[in-house]
PDB file of all heavy atoms in Angstrom:
ATOM      1  N   GLY A   1     107.662  95.904  97.259  1.00 95.00           N
ATOM      2  CA  GLY A   1     106.970  96.808  96.336  1.00 95.00           C
ATOM      3  C   GLY A   1     107.915  97.699  95.579  1.00 95.00           C
ATOM      4  O   GLY A   1     107.458  98.658  94.890  1.00 95.00           O
ATOM      5  N   HIS A   2     109.200  97.508  95.687  1.00 93.00           N
ATOM      6  CA  HIS A   2     110.173  98.280  94.943  1.00 93.00           C
ATOM      7  C   HIS A   2     110.115  97.875  93.472  1.00 93.00           C
ATOM      8  O   HIS A   2     109.553  96.854  93.110  1.00 93.00           O
ATOM      9  CB  HIS A   2     111.577  98.163  95.493  1.00 93.00           C
ATOM     10  CG  HIS A   2     111.657  98.509  96.941  1.00 93.00           C
ATOM     11  ND1 HIS A   2     112.596  97.954  97.827  1.00 93.00           N
ATOM     12  CD2 HIS A   2     110.995  99.426  97.644  1.00 93.00           C
ATOM     13  CE1 HIS A   2     112.457  98.471  99.017  1.00 93.00           C
ATOM     14  NE2 HIS A   2     111.462  99.355  99.010  1.00 93.00           N
ATOM     15  N   LYS A   3     110.720  98.701  92.609  1.00 90.00           N
ATOM     16  CA  LYS A   3     110.681  98.454  91.214  1.00 90.00           C
ATOM     17  C   LYS A   3     111.182  97.026  90.884  1.00 90.00           C
ATOM     18  O   LYS A   3     112.254  96.655  91.345  1.00 90.00           O
ATOM     19  CB  LYS A   3     111.537  99.477  90.452  1.00 90.00           C
ATOM     20  CG  LYS A   3     111.421  99.386  88.949  1.00 90.00           C
ATOM     21  CD  LYS A   3     112.218 100.522  88.264  1.00 90.00           C
ATOM     22  CE  LYS A   3     112.042 100.475  86.774  1.00 90.00           C
ATOM     23  NZ  LYS A   3     112.815 101.564  86.063  1.00 90.00           N
ATOM     24  N   GLY A   4     110.380  96.335  90.111  1.00 92.00           N
ATOM     25  CA  GLY A   4     110.762  94.948  89.740  1.00 92.00           C
ATOM     26  C   GLY A   4     110.490  93.913  90.819  1.00 92.00           C
ATOM     27  O   GLY A   4     110.898  92.729  90.555  1.00 92.00           O
ATOM     28  N   LYS A   5     109.939  94.284  91.922  1.00 95.00           N
ATOM     29  CA  LYS A   5     109.751  93.328  93.025  1.00 95.00           C
ATOM     30  C   LYS A   5     108.277  93.085  93.230  1.00 95.00           C
ATOM     31  O   LYS A   5     107.412  93.752  92.718  1.00 95.00           O
ATOM     32  CB  LYS A   5     110.313  93.917  94.349  1.00 95.00           C
ATOM     33  CG  LYS A   5     111.760  94.228  94.320  1.00 95.00           C
ATOM     34  CD  LYS A   5     112.658  92.991  94.082  1.00 95.00           C
ATOM     35  CE  LYS A   5     114.141  93.328  94.172  1.00 95.00           C
ATOM     36  NZ  LYS A   5     115.006  92.153  94.015  1.00 95.00           N
ATOM     37  N   GLY A   6     107.989  92.014  93.998  1.00 97.00           N
ATOM     38  CA  GLY A   6     106.567  91.653  94.302  1.00 97.00           C
ATOM     39  C   GLY A   6     106.054  92.627  95.348  1.00 97.00           C
ATOM     40  O   GLY A   6     106.733  93.571  95.857  1.00 97.00           O
ATOM     41  N   LYS A   7     104.859  92.362  95.852  1.00 98.00           N
ATOM     42  CA  LYS A   7     104.176  93.251  96.820  1.00 98.00           C
ATOM     43  C   LYS A   7     103.345  92.400  97.801  1.00 98.00           C
ATOM     44  O   LYS A   7     102.799  91.392  97.405  1.00 98.00           O
ATOM     45  CB  LYS A   7     103.266  94.230  96.022  1.00 98.00           C
ATOM     46  CG  LYS A   7     102.958  95.481  96.734  1.00 98.00           C
ATOM     47  CD  LYS A   7     102.383  96.539  95.830  1.00 98.00           C
ATOM     48  CE  LYS A   7     102.137  97.835  96.467  1.00 98.00           C
ATOM     49  NZ  LYS A   7     101.592  98.828  95.527  1.00 98.00           N
ATOM     50  N   LEU A   8     103.162  92.931  98.968  1.00 98.00           N
ATOM     51  CA  LEU A   8     102.327  92.341  99.982  1.00 98.00           C
ATOM     52  C   LEU A   8     101.181  93.264 100.363  1.00 98.00           C
ATOM     53  O   LEU A   8     101.317  94.491 100.301  1.00 98.00           O
ATOM     54  CB  LEU A   8     103.126  92.002 101.241  1.00 98.00           C
ATOM     55  CG  LEU A   8     104.342  91.075 101.076  1.00 98.00           C
ATOM     56  CD1 LEU A   8     104.961  90.782 102.410  1.00 98.00           C
ATOM     57  CD2 LEU A   8     103.909  89.700 100.414  1.00 98.00           C
ATOM     58  N   TYR A   9     100.082  92.645 100.781  1.00 98.00           N
ATOM     59  CA  TYR A   9      98.926  93.412 101.274  1.00 98.00           C
ATOM     60  C   TYR A   9      98.406  92.652 102.533  1.00 98.00           C
ATOM     61  O   TYR A   9      98.550  91.459 102.626  1.00 98.00           O
ATOM     62  CB  TYR A   9      97.808  93.511 100.201  1.00 98.00           C
ATOM     63  CG  TYR A   9      98.265  93.798  98.807  1.00 98.00           C
ATOM     64  CD1 TYR A   9      98.743  92.776  97.981  1.00 98.00           C
ATOM     65  CD2 TYR A   9      98.297  95.102  98.307  1.00 98.00           C
ATOM     66  CE1 TYR A   9      99.184  93.028  96.711  1.00 98.00           C
ATOM     67  CE2 TYR A   9      98.680  95.354  97.039  1.00 98.00           C
ATOM     68  CZ  TYR A   9      99.118  94.366  96.242  1.00 98.00           C
ATOM     69  OH  TYR A   9      99.512  94.603  94.924  1.00 98.00           O
ATOM     70  N   PHE A  10      97.629  93.416 103.342  1.00 98.00           N
ATOM     71  CA  PHE A  10      97.073  92.779 104.559  1.00 98.00           C
ATOM     72  C   PHE A  10      95.634  93.163 104.683  1.00 98.00           C
ATOM     73  O   PHE A  10      95.324  94.400 104.765  1.00 98.00           O
ATOM     74  CB  PHE A  10      97.850  93.196 105.782  1.00 98.00           C
ATOM     75  CG  PHE A  10      99.284  92.683 105.793  1.00 98.00           C
ATOM     76  CD1 PHE A  10     100.251  93.416 105.146  1.00 98.00           C
ATOM     77  CD2 PHE A  10      99.621  91.516 106.373  1.00 98.00           C
ATOM     78  CE1 PHE A  10     101.570  92.993 105.147  1.00 98.00           C
ATOM     79  CE2 PHE A  10     100.959  91.021 106.335  1.00 98.00           C
ATOM     80  CZ  PHE A  10     101.933  91.786 105.723  1.00 98.00           C
ATOM     81  N   ALA A  11      94.731  92.196 104.656  1.00 98.00           N
ATOM     82  CA  ALA A  11      93.286  92.444 104.745  1.00 98.00           C
ATOM     83  C   ALA A  11      92.592  91.138 105.141  1.00 98.00           C
ATOM     84  O   ALA A  11      93.121  90.089 104.963  1.00 98.00           O
ATOM     85  CB  ALA A  11      92.740  92.982 103.445  1.00 98.00           C
ATOM     86  N   ASP A  12      91.415  91.306 105.724  1.00 98.00           N
ATOM     87  CA  ASP A  12      90.624  90.138 106.126  1.00 98.00           C
ATOM     88  C   ASP A  12      89.953  89.477 104.940  1.00 98.00           C
ATOM     89  O   ASP A  12      88.899  89.962 104.504  1.00 98.00           O
ATOM     90  CB  ASP A  12      89.592  90.560 107.185  1.00 98.00           C
ATOM     91  CG  ASP A  12      88.761  89.414 107.671  1.00 98.00           C
ATOM     92  OD1 ASP A  12      89.106  88.270 107.407  1.00 98.00           O
ATOM     93  OD2 ASP A  12      87.754  89.701 108.410  1.00 98.00           O
ATOM     94  N   ILE A  13      90.489  88.366 104.494  1.00 98.00           N
ATOM     95  CA  ILE A  13      89.971  87.715 103.288  1.00 98.00           C
ATOM     96  C   ILE A  13      88.880  86.708 103.634  1.00 98.00           C
ATOM     97  O   ILE A  13      87.954  86.525 102.875  1.00 98.00           O
ATOM     98  CB  ILE A  13      91.100  87.014 102.558  1.00 98.00           C
ATOM     99  CG1 ILE A  13      92.106  88.012 102.004  1.00 98.00           C
ATOM    100  CG2 ILE A  13      90.561  86.118 101.388  1.00 98.00           C
ATOM    101  CD1 ILE A  13      91.614  88.887 100.854  1.00 98.00           C
ATOM    102  N   ASN A  14      88.953  86.037 104.781  1.00 98.00           N
ATOM    103  CA  ASN A  14      88.041  84.967 105.084  1.00 98.00           C
ATOM    104  C   ASN A  14      86.910  85.340 106.056  1.00 98.00           C
ATOM    105  O   ASN A  14      86.143  84.502 106.461  1.00 98.00           O
ATOM    106  CB  ASN A  14      88.768  83.711 105.592  1.00 98.00           C
ATOM    107  CG  ASN A  14      89.500  83.950 106.890  1.00 98.00           C
ATOM    108  OD1 ASN A  14      89.603  85.068 107.332  1.00 98.00           O
ATOM    109  ND2 ASN A  14      90.003  82.877 107.482  1.00 98.00           N
ATOM    110  N   GLY A  15      86.898  86.598 106.454  1.00 98.00           N
ATOM    111  CA  GLY A  15      85.819  87.049 107.321  1.00 98.00           C
ATOM    112  C   GLY A  15      85.837  86.719 108.839  1.00 98.00           C
ATOM    113  O   GLY A  15      84.904  86.811 109.528  1.00 98.00           O
ATOM    114  N   ASP A  16      87.075  86.405 109.310  1.00 98.00           N
ATOM    115  CA  ASP A  16      87.244  86.132 110.721  1.00 98.00           C
ATOM    116  C   ASP A  16      87.704  87.306 111.511  1.00 98.00           C
ATOM    117  O   ASP A  16      88.083  87.238 112.699  1.00 98.00           O
ATOM    118  CB  ASP A  16      88.161  84.952 110.936  1.00 98.00           C
ATOM    119  CG  ASP A  16      89.602  85.238 110.543  1.00 98.00           C
ATOM    120  OD1 ASP A  16      89.878  86.350 109.977  1.00 98.00           O
ATOM    121  OD2 ASP A  16      90.467  84.398 110.713  1.00 98.00           O
ATOM    122  N   LYS A  17      87.688  88.536 110.849  1.00 98.00           N
ATOM    123  CA  LYS A  17      88.041  89.788 111.468  1.00 98.00           C
ATOM    124  C   LYS A  17      89.538  89.941 111.665  1.00 98.00           C
ATOM    125  O   LYS A  17      89.949  90.977 112.313  1.00 98.00           O
ATOM    126  CB  LYS A  17      87.268  90.106 112.742  1.00 98.00           C
ATOM    127  CG  LYS A  17      85.761  90.061 112.471  1.00 98.00           C
ATOM    128  CD  LYS A  17      84.968  90.520 113.763  1.00 98.00           C
ATOM    129  CE  LYS A  17      83.487  90.350 113.520  1.00 98.00           C
ATOM    130  NZ  LYS A  17      82.978  91.083 112.367  1.00 98.00           N
ATOM    131  N   LYS A  18      90.349  89.089 111.223  1.00 98.00           N
ATOM    132  CA  LYS A  18      91.822  89.127 111.416  1.00 98.00           C
ATOM    133  C   LYS A  18      92.494  89.237 110.003  1.00 98.00           C
ATOM    134  O   LYS A  18      92.153  88.500 109.057  1.00 98.00           O
ATOM    135  CB  LYS A  18      92.377  87.923 112.152  1.00 98.00           C
ATOM    136  CG  LYS A  18      91.845  87.853 113.541  1.00 98.00           C
ATOM    137  CD  LYS A  18      92.407  86.652 114.306  1.00 98.00           C
ATOM    138  CE  LYS A  18      91.860  85.349 113.755  1.00 98.00           C
ATOM    139  NZ  LYS A  18      92.367  84.163 114.519  1.00 98.00           N
ATOM    140  N   ALA A  19      93.440  90.163 109.877  1.00 98.00           N
ATOM    141  CA  ALA A  19      94.066  90.436 108.586  1.00 98.00           C
ATOM    142  C   ALA A  19      94.870  89.220 108.127  1.00 98.00           C
ATOM    143  O   ALA A  19      95.764  88.716 108.857  1.00 98.00           O
ATOM    144  CB  ALA A  19      94.898  91.669 108.738  1.00 98.00           C
ATOM    145  N   ASP A  20      94.610  88.805 106.888  1.00 98.00           N
ATOM    146  CA  ASP A  20      95.404  87.781 106.225  1.00 98.00           C
ATOM    147  C   ASP A  20      96.496  88.398 105.373  1.00 98.00           C
ATOM    148  O   ASP A  20      96.502  89.658 105.153  1.00 98.00           O
ATOM    149  CB  ASP A  20      94.473  86.858 105.388  1.00 98.00           C
ATOM    150  CG  ASP A  20      93.319  86.322 106.223  1.00 98.00           C
ATOM    151  OD1 ASP A  20      93.621  85.628 107.180  1.00 98.00           O
ATOM    152  OD2 ASP A  20      92.162  86.656 105.934  1.00 98.00           O
ATOM    153  N   LEU A  21      97.414  87.585 104.869  1.00 98.00           N
ATOM    154  CA  LEU A  21      98.525  88.013 104.050  1.00 98.00           C
ATOM    155  C   LEU A  21      98.183  87.738 102.622  1.00 98.00           C
ATOM    156  O   LEU A  21      97.987  86.551 102.234  1.00 98.00           O
ATOM    157  CB  LEU A  21      99.794  87.407 104.519  1.00 98.00           C
ATOM    158  CG  LEU A  21     101.050  87.510 103.617  1.00 98.00           C
ATOM    159  CD1 LEU A  21     101.386  88.990 103.393  1.00 98.00           C
ATOM    160  CD2 LEU A  21     102.202  86.796 104.253  1.00 98.00           C
ATOM    161  N   ILE A  22      98.220  88.725 101.742  1.00 98.00           N
ATOM    162  CA  ILE A  22      98.034  88.507 100.304  1.00 98.00           C
ATOM    163  C   ILE A  22      99.307  88.762  99.615  1.00 98.00           C
ATOM    164  O   ILE A  22      99.955  89.841  99.776  1.00 98.00           O
ATOM    165  CB  ILE A  22      96.923  89.528  99.767  1.00 98.00           C
ATOM    166  CG1 ILE A  22      95.623  89.342 100.610  1.00 98.00           C
ATOM    167  CG2 ILE A  22      96.677  89.357  98.345  1.00 98.00           C
ATOM    168  CD1 ILE A  22      94.807  90.561 100.710  1.00 98.00           C
ATOM    169  N   VAL A  23      99.755  87.787  98.840  1.00 98.00           N
ATOM    170  CA  VAL A  23     101.058  87.813  98.208  1.00 98.00           C
ATOM    171  C   VAL A  23     100.931  88.040  96.687  1.00 98.00           C
ATOM    172  O   VAL A  23     100.220  87.262  96.041  1.00 98.00           O
ATOM    173  CB  VAL A  23     101.843  86.494  98.463  1.00 98.00           C
ATOM    174  CG1 VAL A  23     103.209  86.561  97.841  1.00 98.00           C
ATOM    175  CG2 VAL A  23     101.947  86.212  99.957  1.00 98.00           C
ATOM    176  N   HIS A  24     101.548  89.110  96.161  1.00 98.00           N
ATOM    177  CA  HIS A  24     101.478  89.469  94.766  1.00 98.00           C
ATOM    178  C   HIS A  24     102.837  89.199  94.118  1.00 98.00           C
ATOM    179  O   HIS A  24     103.765  89.971  94.344  1.00 98.00           O
ATOM    180  CB  HIS A  24     101.033  90.853  94.690  1.00 98.00           C
ATOM    181  CG  HIS A  24     100.702  91.331  93.256  1.00 98.00           C
ATOM    182  ND1 HIS A  24     100.195  92.610  92.992  1.00 98.00           N
ATOM    183  CD2 HIS A  24     100.798  90.720  92.087  1.00 98.00           C
ATOM    184  CE1 HIS A  24      99.986  92.708  91.723  1.00 98.00           C
ATOM    185  NE2 HIS A  24     100.353  91.579  91.127  1.00 98.00           N
ATOM    186  N   GLU A  25     103.001  88.134  93.342  1.00 98.00           N
ATOM    187  CA  GLU A  25     104.223  87.732  92.732  1.00 98.00           C
ATOM    188  C   GLU A  25     104.494  88.630  91.526  1.00 98.00           C
ATOM    189  O   GLU A  25     103.554  89.179  90.901  1.00 98.00           O
ATOM    190  CB  GLU A  25     104.200  86.304  92.321  1.00 98.00           C
ATOM    191  CG  GLU A  25     103.977  85.287  93.404  1.00 98.00           C
ATOM    192  CD  GLU A  25     105.207  84.812  94.067  1.00 98.00           C
ATOM    193  OE1 GLU A  25     106.340  85.251  93.627  1.00 98.00           O
ATOM    194  OE2 GLU A  25     105.155  84.010  94.971  1.00 98.00           O
ATOM    195  N   THR A  26     105.759  88.782  91.117  1.00 97.00           N
ATOM    196  CA  THR A  26     106.093  89.532  89.896  1.00 97.00           C
ATOM    197  C   THR A  26     105.517  88.820  88.657  1.00 97.00           C
ATOM    198  O   THR A  26     105.363  89.525  87.615  1.00 97.00           O
ATOM    199  CB  THR A  26     107.617  89.711  89.754  1.00 97.00           C
ATOM    200  OG1 THR A  26     108.273  88.439  89.775  1.00 97.00           O
ATOM    201  CG2 THR A  26     108.122  90.614  90.870  1.00 97.00           C
ATOM    202  N   ASN A  27     105.293  87.585  88.650  1.00 97.00           N
ATOM    203  CA  ASN A  27     104.661  86.898  87.477  1.00 97.00           C
ATOM    204  C   ASN A  27     103.170  87.084  87.408  1.00 97.00           C
ATOM    205  O   ASN A  27     102.521  86.605  86.508  1.00 97.00           O
ATOM    206  CB  ASN A  27     105.015  85.425  87.524  1.00 97.00           C
ATOM    207  CG  ASN A  27     104.329  84.694  88.684  1.00 97.00           C
ATOM    208  OD1 ASN A  27     103.566  85.254  89.491  1.00 97.00           O
ATOM    209  ND2 ASN A  27     104.629  83.381  88.786  1.00 97.00           N
ATOM    210  N   GLY A  28     102.588  87.889  88.376  1.00 97.00           N
ATOM    211  CA  GLY A  28     101.165  88.174  88.317  1.00 97.00           C
ATOM    212  C   GLY A  28     100.300  87.318  89.195  1.00 97.00           C
ATOM    213  O   GLY A  28      99.098  87.572  89.331  1.00 97.00           O
ATOM    214  N   ASP A  29     100.870  86.245  89.756  1.00 98.00           N
ATOM    215  CA  ASP A  29     100.052  85.374  90.632  1.00 98.00           C
ATOM    216  C   ASP A  29      99.734  86.062  91.955  1.00 98.00           C
ATOM    217  O   ASP A  29     100.556  86.820  92.535  1.00 98.00           O
ATOM    218  CB  ASP A  29     100.821  84.056  90.988  1.00 98.00           C
ATOM    219  CG  ASP A  29     100.844  83.146  89.732  1.00 98.00           C
ATOM    220  OD1 ASP A  29     100.156  83.427  88.739  1.00 98.00           O
ATOM    221  OD2 ASP A  29     101.502  82.125  89.847  1.00 98.00           O
ATOM    222  N   ILE A  30      98.505  85.761  92.490  1.00 98.00           N
ATOM    223  CA  ILE A  30      98.176  86.222  93.807  1.00 98.00           C
ATOM    224  C   ILE A  30      97.746  85.055  94.654  1.00 98.00           C
ATOM    225  O   ILE A  30      96.867  84.219  94.287  1.00 98.00           O
ATOM    226  CB  ILE A  30      96.939  87.221  93.674  1.00 98.00           C
ATOM    227  CG1 ILE A  30      97.401  88.520  93.001  1.00 98.00           C
ATOM    228  CG2 ILE A  30      96.379  87.554  95.074  1.00 98.00           C
ATOM    229  CD1 ILE A  30      96.300  89.524  92.739  1.00 98.00           C
ATOM    230  N   ALA A  31      98.335  84.982  95.839  1.00 98.00           N
ATOM    231  CA  ALA A  31      98.041  83.928  96.744  1.00 98.00           C
ATOM    232  C   ALA A  31      97.621  84.526  98.122  1.00 98.00           C
ATOM    233  O   ALA A  31      98.050  85.641  98.461  1.00 98.00           O
ATOM    234  CB  ALA A  31      99.286  83.023  97.010  1.00 98.00           C
ATOM    235  N   VAL A  32      96.751  83.834  98.814  1.00 98.00           N
ATOM    236  CA  VAL A  32      96.215  84.268 100.132  1.00 98.00           C
ATOM    237  C   VAL A  32      96.787  83.292 101.208  1.00 98.00           C
ATOM    238  O   VAL A  32      96.620  82.065 101.139  1.00 98.00           O
ATOM    239  CB  VAL A  32      94.653  84.275 100.093  1.00 98.00           C
ATOM    240  CG1 VAL A  32      94.173  84.491 101.524  1.00 98.00           C
ATOM    241  CG2 VAL A  32      94.147  85.241  99.159  1.00 98.00           C
ATOM    242  N   ARG A  33      97.360  83.880 102.213  1.00 98.00           N
ATOM    243  CA  ARG A  33      97.912  83.152 103.334  1.00 98.00           C
ATOM    244  C   ARG A  33      97.054  83.581 104.604  1.00 98.00           C
ATOM    245  O   ARG A  33      97.099  84.684 105.056  1.00 98.00           O
ATOM    246  CB  ARG A  33      99.338  83.451 103.628  1.00 98.00           C
ATOM    247  CG  ARG A  33     100.261  82.999 102.444  1.00 98.00           C
ATOM    248  CD  ARG A  33     101.720  83.132 102.770  1.00 98.00           C
ATOM    249  NE  ARG A  33     102.516  82.476 101.770  1.00 98.00           N
ATOM    250  CZ  ARG A  33     103.626  81.768 102.059  1.00 98.00           C
ATOM    251  NH1 ARG A  33     103.970  81.529 103.311  1.00 98.00           N
ATOM    252  NH2 ARG A  33     104.313  81.176 101.048  1.00 98.00           N
ATOM    253  N   LEU A  34      96.282  82.567 105.130  1.00 98.00           N
ATOM    254  CA  LEU A  34      95.372  82.903 106.226  1.00 98.00           C
ATOM    255  C   LEU A  34      96.019  83.092 107.577  1.00 98.00           C
ATOM    256  O   LEU A  34      97.060  82.434 107.879  1.00 98.00           O
ATOM    257  CB  LEU A  34      94.334  81.779 106.298  1.00 98.00           C
ATOM    258  CG  LEU A  34      93.424  81.645 105.088  1.00 98.00           C
ATOM    259  CD1 LEU A  34      92.464  80.499 105.306  1.00 98.00           C
ATOM    260  CD2 LEU A  34      92.668  82.948 104.816  1.00 98.00           C
ATOM    261  N   ASN A  35      95.535  84.016 108.315  1.00 98.00           N
ATOM    262  CA  ASN A  35      95.999  84.355 109.649  1.00 98.00           C
ATOM    263  C   ASN A  35      95.697  83.255 110.622  1.00 98.00           C
ATOM    264  O   ASN A  35      94.578  82.817 110.854  1.00 98.00           O
ATOM    265  CB  ASN A  35      95.296  85.622 110.095  1.00 98.00           C
ATOM    266  CG  ASN A  35      95.804  86.228 111.425  1.00 98.00           C
ATOM    267  OD1 ASN A  35      96.158  85.495 112.284  1.00 98.00           O
ATOM    268  ND2 ASN A  35      95.790  87.533 111.465  1.00 98.00           N
ATOM    269  N   GLN A  36      96.787  82.739 111.271  1.00 98.00           N
ATOM    270  CA  GLN A  36      96.671  81.643 112.211  1.00 98.00           C
ATOM    271  C   GLN A  36      96.902  82.023 113.663  1.00 98.00           C
ATOM    272  O   GLN A  36      97.094  81.246 114.557  1.00 98.00           O
ATOM    273  CB  GLN A  36      97.644  80.527 111.828  1.00 98.00           C
ATOM    274  CG  GLN A  36      97.463  79.925 110.465  1.00 98.00           C
ATOM    275  CD  GLN A  36      96.133  79.268 110.271  1.00 98.00           C
ATOM    276  OE1 GLN A  36      95.676  78.469 111.103  1.00 98.00           O
ATOM    277  NE2 GLN A  36      95.432  79.636 109.210  1.00 98.00           N
ATOM    278  N   GLY A  37      96.898  83.328 113.892  1.00 98.00           N
ATOM    279  CA  GLY A  37      96.981  83.815 115.272  1.00 98.00           C
ATOM    280  C   GLY A  37      98.392  84.349 115.660  1.00 98.00           C
ATOM    281  O   GLY A  37      98.526  85.248 116.363  1.00 98.00           O
ATOM    282  N   THR A  38      99.371  83.602 115.102  1.00 98.00           N
ATOM    283  CA  THR A  38     100.833  84.029 115.378  1.00 98.00           C
ATOM    284  C   THR A  38     101.614  84.001 114.090  1.00 98.00           C
ATOM    285  O   THR A  38     102.836  84.273 114.084  1.00 98.00           O
ATOM    286  CB  THR A  38     101.473  83.147 116.407  1.00 98.00           C
ATOM    287  OG1 THR A  38     101.356  81.766 116.022  1.00 98.00           O
ATOM    288  CG2 THR A  38     100.797  83.344 117.779  1.00 98.00           C
ATOM    289  N   TYR A  39     100.954  83.566 112.956  1.00 98.00           N
ATOM    290  CA  TYR A  39     101.681  83.488 111.711  1.00 98.00           C
ATOM    291  C   TYR A  39     100.656  83.404 110.607  1.00 98.00           C
ATOM    292  O   TYR A  39      99.439  83.290 110.877  1.00 98.00           O
ATOM    293  CB  TYR A  39     102.614  82.305 111.671  1.00 98.00           C
ATOM    294  CG  TYR A  39     101.890  80.961 111.703  1.00 98.00           C
ATOM    295  CD1 TYR A  39     101.603  80.195 110.571  1.00 98.00           C
ATOM    296  CD2 TYR A  39     101.511  80.397 112.972  1.00 98.00           C
ATOM    297  CE1 TYR A  39     100.939  79.017 110.656  1.00 98.00           C
ATOM    298  CE2 TYR A  39     100.809  79.214 113.075  1.00 98.00           C
ATOM    299  CZ  TYR A  39     100.558  78.522 111.861  1.00 98.00           C
ATOM    300  OH  TYR A  39      99.904  77.273 111.913  1.00 98.00           O
ATOM    301  N   TRP A  40     101.063  83.433 109.350  1.00 98.00           N
ATOM    302  CA  TRP A  40     100.142  83.203 108.204  1.00 98.00           C
ATOM    303  C   TRP A  40     100.538  81.868 107.614  1.00 98.00           C
ATOM    304  O   TRP A  40     101.715  81.500 107.502  1.00 98.00           O
ATOM    305  CB  TRP A  40     100.325  84.334 107.174  1.00 98.00           C
ATOM    306  CG  TRP A  40      99.845  85.608 107.696  1.00 98.00           C
ATOM    307  CD1 TRP A  40      98.582  86.060 107.845  1.00 98.00           C
ATOM    308  CD2 TRP A  40     100.603  86.699 108.224  1.00 98.00           C
ATOM    309  NE1 TRP A  40      98.490  87.357 108.379  1.00 98.00           N
ATOM    310  CE2 TRP A  40      99.805  87.738 108.660  1.00 98.00           C
ATOM    311  CE3 TRP A  40     102.033  86.878 108.423  1.00 98.00           C
ATOM    312  CZ2 TRP A  40     100.251  88.952 109.225  1.00 98.00           C
ATOM    313  CZ3 TRP A  40     102.499  88.042 108.981  1.00 98.00           C
ATOM    314  CH2 TRP A  40     101.653  89.086 109.369  1.00 98.00           C
ATOM    315  N   ASP A  41      99.525  81.081 107.144  1.00 98.00           N
ATOM    316  CA  ASP A  41      99.777  79.725 106.669  1.00 98.00           C
ATOM    317  C   ASP A  41     100.478  79.724 105.381  1.00 98.00           C
ATOM    318  O   ASP A  41     100.846  80.757 104.806  1.00 98.00           O
ATOM    319  CB  ASP A  41      98.498  78.890 106.682  1.00 98.00           C
ATOM    320  CG  ASP A  41      97.510  79.363 105.626  1.00 98.00           C
ATOM    321  OD1 ASP A  41      97.863  80.098 104.687  1.00 98.00           O
ATOM    322  OD2 ASP A  41      96.292  78.956 105.727  1.00 98.00           O
ATOM    323  N   GLY A  42     100.666  78.493 104.742  1.00 97.00           N
ATOM    324  CA  GLY A  42     101.373  78.359 103.493  1.00 97.00           C
ATOM    325  C   GLY A  42     100.653  78.893 102.334  1.00 97.00           C
ATOM    326  O   GLY A  42     101.269  79.095 101.236  1.00 97.00           O
TER     327      GLY A  42
END
């Protein structure tokens, strides 16, 4: 989240009560990586 960098967020996107990883690229794309219990998927 520093100047000129991308940003990450953590919130439950799929409703399983576990925080997923939301990736915000500097090009404006947003991807969701689902919580797999010990990591977030691709």
Side-chain angles (χ1 to χ4, degrees):
H2 302 151
K3 187 175 181 179
K5 302 295 186 179
K7 202 167 184 179
L8 301 182
Y9 317 84
F10 295 87
D12 180 10
I13 295 290
N14 64 350
D16 65 356
K17 303 186 185 304
K18 296 182 292 183
D20 305 300
L21 168 58
I22 303 150
V23 182
H24 190 174
E25 302 269 359
T26 54
N27 67 1
D29 286 355
I30 292 177
V32 172
R33 295 187 171 223
L34 296 179
N35 186 325
Q36 301 298 311
T38 55
Y39 66 96
W40 295 280
D41 69 16

